Amino acid sequence: MSEHNVDQTAEFTIIRIFDAPREQLWRAWTDPDEAARWWHPRGVSSPREHVAIDPRVGGTYSYLMINDDDGAEYPTGGTYLEVEKPERLVFTWGNPEDSVESAPRITVTLVERGNKTEMTFHLVGIPGFKGDGNVYDGWNEAFDIFEER
């Protein structure tokens, strides 16, 4: 894909080092049982029965985040654009109805660092910064939840 209708200047990157092997992080991103445990910020749940993942180029994923306090629902999903097991995923992210061209795009890169794994998470199409109370903080909290489990 050479052209996207998303704002290419709205982007952010989060780099984290996890005390886990790369295969474990790969499963966390591609296995619905694993993803249901952490694909959400604090105060929100992603029930397993609402998580579906088909991690292949052209495959889709979807999950439903539910606010623990008020029950508000946030359907989320996208399409896999690149799948290079166990090191790189590129996929769209947003409303499941968004077209591939109009949806924000996430790239996840996993690099072995001894017994640990460095994850680079790069999102294009939505601005973000630490403390924004929005998408950046939501993903950062999700990574905290993954690390705590």
Side-chain angles (χ1 to χ4, degrees):
M1 239 173 19
S2 60
E3 294 184 2
H4 297 279
N5 293 331
V6 298
D7 181 352
Q8 297 288 311
T9 64
E11 63 183 318
F12 65 87
T13 300
I14 299 172
I15 299 173
R16 300 278 291 260
I17 297 180
F18 293 98
D19 190 13
R22 182 165 64 173
E23 269 299 323
Q24 183 178 345
L25 262 72
W26 182 264
R27 277 192 313 276
W29 280 102
T30 60
D31 180 308
D33 293 330
E34 294 293 321
R37 295 182 184 134
W38 70 275
W39 273 8
H40 51 78
R42 297 194 191 285
V44 177
S45 300
S46 296
R48 171 58 185 95
E49 63 269 18
H50 295 290
V51 179
I53 300 175
D54 181 8
R56 61 184 171 85
V57 174
T60 61
Y61 71 93
S62 63
Y63 61 106
L64 180 66
M65 293 185 287
I66 301 174
N67 185 298
D68 296 337
D69 290 333
D70 63 16
E73 296 184 350
Y74 308 97
T76 308
T79 301
Y80 290 98
L81 307 174
E82 296 178 36
V83 178
E84 298 173 25
K85 184 179 181 179
E87 60 199 45
R88 180 178 161 90
L89 288 168
V90 179
F91 52 94
T92 62
W93 179 78
N95 185 311
E97 306 303 316
D98 290 347
S99 71
V100 169
E101 294 77 24
S102 66
R105 189 178 64 255
I106 291 174
T107 301
V108 175
T109 306
L110 305 172
V111 177
E112 292 178 318
R113 299 282 186 229
N115 292 330
K116 299 181 180 191
T117 303
E118 179 181 287
M119 180 194 72
T120 301
F121 173 93
H122 184 75
L123 191 150
V124 174
I126 300 174
F129 56 91
K130 189 172 186 159
D132 67 5
N134 198 0
V135 176
Y136 183 104
D137 285 348
W139 275 108
N140 210 32
E141 285 180 8
F143 301 146
D144 288 344
I145 291 167
F146 172 79
E147 197 164 34
E148 293 163 4
R149 34 180 230 105

